[in-house]
C-alpha cells in the first residue's frame, strides 16, 4: 500500500496566511465562510481555488479558530488605523460617506 503524502492547504508567508501555492489570502476565504457562503460558492468567488483547497482552508481555520480570529482582529485594527486618502484630501466628503455606513 503506498504512503499518501500529507497536503498543506495554508501557508504562512510575508506576515500573513495564504492558500498554499496561491496569492489568495486565507482572510478572503474565512470572511466569505463567516458570511455563510458554501464552499462551492467560495470557489465561484475565487475560481483559481479548487473545492479541495477551500475545504482545506476552512478545516485549517476551524482547527485554529481562536488564533486565526485573533490574527484577523489585529489585521482589521491595523487597516482601520491606516489614514484614508480621502480623509485628508476632502474631509467633508469623507465624513459624509462614513456617516452613511453607520446605521
Amino acid at each position: 500500500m503506498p504512503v499518501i503524502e500529507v497536503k498543506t492547504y495554508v501557508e504562512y508567508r510575508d506576515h500573513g496566511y495564504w492558500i498554499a501555492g496561491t496569492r489568495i489570502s486565507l482572510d478572503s476565504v474565512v470572511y466569505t465562510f463567516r458570511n455563510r457562503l458554501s464552499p462551492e460558492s467560495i470557489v465561484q468567488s475565487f475560481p483559481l481555488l479548487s473545492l479541495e483547497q477551500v475545504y482545506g482552508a476552512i478545516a485549517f481555520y476551524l482547527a485554529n479558530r481562536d488564533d486565526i480570529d485573533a490574527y484577523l482582529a489585529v489585521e482589521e485594527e491595523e487597516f482601520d488605523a491606516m489614514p484614508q486618502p480621502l480623509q485628508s484630501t476632502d474631509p467633508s466628503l469623507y465624513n459624509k460617506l462614513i456617516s452613511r455606513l453607520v446605521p
Side-chain angles (χ1 to χ4, degrees):
M1 178 178 213
V3 176
I4 299 171
E5 185 179 322
V6 176
K7 292 186 178 182
T8 301
Y9 294 100
V10 176
E11 58 190 11
Y12 186 82
R13 68 175 192 269
D14 301 326
H15 307 291
Y17 291 94
W18 303 89
I19 307 305
T22 74
R23 292 173 33 181
I24 299 172
S25 69
L26 176 65
D27 308 24
S28 301
V29 173
V30 169
Y31 285 124
T32 54
F33 177 69
R34 283 180 174 177
N35 285 330
R36 303 186 186 277
L37 266 71
S38 69
E40 292 79 9
S41 295
I42 295 171
V43 169
Q44 289 178 349
S45 297
F46 300 96
L48 294 176
L49 296 180
S50 69
L51 189 58
E52 177 185 350
Q53 288 172 305
V54 171
Y55 272 106
I58 292 169
F60 177 87
Y61 169 65
L62 294 175
N64 301 284
R65 187 178 222 150
D66 292 340
D67 292 330
I68 298 301
D69 285 345
Y71 159 78
L72 293 174
V74 169
E75 291 288 311
E76 289 171 14
E77 287 173 14
E78 289 176 359
F79 180 80
D80 290 342
M82 290 173 46
Q84 301 299 316
L86 188 59
Q87 190 175 12
S88 58
T89 59
D90 193 344
S92 62
L93 177 58
Y94 175 82
N95 290 331
K96 184 177 181 179
L97 292 171
I98 291 299
S99 69
R100 292 186 181 191
L101 292 177
V102 180

